[in-house]
Amino acid sequence: MNRLDFPLRYTRPVAALLVLFVALLLPMTAATAQIATTARSVEVPLRGGQLTDGDVRLLENETPGLSLPAAVNRVVYLVFESNESNLNDSLRYYAERDDRSLLSEAKDKFAPGSLIVAVGMDPRRVGVACGDDVCNAINFYGAGRMDGILDEMRVPLRQSGDPNIAAALLAGARASGDTTVVAEEKEDSGVSGWWIFGGIFGVSTVGTAGGLFWALRNHRRRMREHYNHVVDNYARVAAHLDSINVQAHSLSSPLADDAVRRDWEDVRSRFLAIDSTVQRLSGIGDEVGDRELARRWREINEAYETVQQMENAEGNIDEFFRMEHGDGTVRRRRLTEMHEDLTEARATVSDDGLRADLKEIDERVLALRDTPDAPDFMETYAQIITDYRIVIEAVRRREFDDVEPDGVTPAPRIWDDSWRPGYGYAGFVPFVTVNSWHESATGSSAGSSGTTTGYSSGGFSGGSASGGW
């Protein structure tokens, strides 16, 4: 027998066996994959008035195909129409009040196997939470992971001025499963290296010319954005001006003092005064060139600032009105912000007596937050602000003596986006504002990623991260 015939004799039987093995193995593999897919539930129990049926189908169809660790057996998407400033609190409250299956057996963390991805609409927040096993599997606590996941969610929310909620939720789930997604570190070395390189090769002139070109380009871009904002938004606000005015004058709580009414009349008068300016700007047409915009930059800037301030005032008055009329979400949100402000104050202030005073006020804030429907809510809230103002004044005198009087460092006004009901009442300014004045005076400030990982009250330690968008 030829030596070559021996292996050839067995080639066909072996091939047949391999084909049979593959034929048997593939269905088993597919079945296993199907089991893994169906074992992971995808839920969208909260749409927040944002998600359509098509959006929900997209999430349900795309999520099973994401590369997620085996530890994840449940993906829950939540969209809050109205939420806490700290979205972590809203996630916790939802689990505690609406779906306790999202809680661990001890009720102090999120349930094992769960991955929760959320978007908050008012105020605008994004967040991700997970059970301990899932948090470990996705390296949730690794360097840059939380910020990286939230950054991925922010992209579809910020593009083109039209936030894509479904895409943001899906991006959060996808980024959670991809452990290579981390926040980019901002390094100064690249900039420094460029200028060193430029200096060595004597190209400072080119660099200066490039810088001027870049500045001019940015200026033109801002002018066009401001112009478009005025043209697009002035008419809408003007159409609602009477109703805003009625709402402003209907405010009746102790916090609606003369200062609030003066601020409203101020911004309202300035808004009415730019009508002729806006009419002139609207008359130059949509195809206006950069040169024409540059020629009118003073008018554009004045109109843009006034329209933006009126939009802020509109939102602030509406929130004030809702707070007066018993909106529990708004009331809890404002008290949560005050609690956070007090917490920062207690962590910063060194005087033991002042810290004790801050602790006592914080206890009153938390007690009021637990009873948002109290009939004397607004009166109690006003008294807390009055007492808190006295303590903050003491902090300013004893520890922040570099902070100038109110005339030099004015409190936020009703047309500022940082204004809240009660700001300016009896001279009240929150600690965070006074502290920022102090940091500006001393040239010191603490950087922050803007990501929140904790909760406003104790007793819960579920893994979560949230931030603004």
Side-chain angles (χ1 to χ4, degrees), residues 122-137:
D122 182 20
R124 293 185 168 191
R125 299 288 185 267
V126 288
V128 175
C130 42
D132 280 354
D133 56 340
V134 174
C135 287
N136 291 332

Side-chain angles (χ1 to χ4, degrees), residues 13 26 59 77-78 99 144 164-165 204-205 210 228 242 327 332 353 357-358 368 372 381 413 415 436 459:
L26 282 176
L59 294 170
Y77 296 112
L78 301 173
D99 188 354
N164 190 327
I165 310 299
S204 59
T205 303
N228 290 336
D242 287 342
D327 189 313
R332 284 192 298 270
D357 292 338
L358 292 167
L368 185 59
Y381 184 75
R413 311 291 286 273
W415 56 74
S436 70

Side-chain angles (χ1 to χ4, degrees), residues 293-311:
L293 291 179
R295 191 174 67 83
R296 298 172 178 264
W297 70 270
R298 290 184 186 276
E299 289 181 309
I300 293 172
N301 279 345
E302 178 191 8
Y304 173 76
E305 182 179 343
T306 305
V307 169
Q308 197 170 53
Q309 288 183 352
M310 177 54 80
E311 288 176 307

Side-chain angles (χ1 to χ4, degrees), residues 84-97:
E84 306 292 338
S85 178
N86 180 356
L87 189 63
N88 299 343
D89 290 336
S90 292
L91 297 177
R92 173 188 177 178
Y93 296 152
Y94 178 82
E96 291 176 340
R97 300 168 185 172

Side-chain angles (χ1 to χ4, degrees), residues 402-457:
D402 47 26
V403 173
E404 298 293 337
D406 290 343
V408 180
T409 51
R413 311 291 286 273
I414 200 170
W415 56 74
D416 294 325
D417 59 4
S418 60
W419 185 89
R420 300 289 184 269
Y423 284 18
Y425 177 68
F428 173 76
V429 179
F431 173 80
V432 67
T433 300
V434 177
N435 193 40
S436 70
W437 295 340
H438 167 66
E439 289 173 346
S440 296
T442 59
S444 63
S445 62
S448 172
S449 66
T451 297
T452 302
T453 58
Y455 302 86
S456 299
S457 58

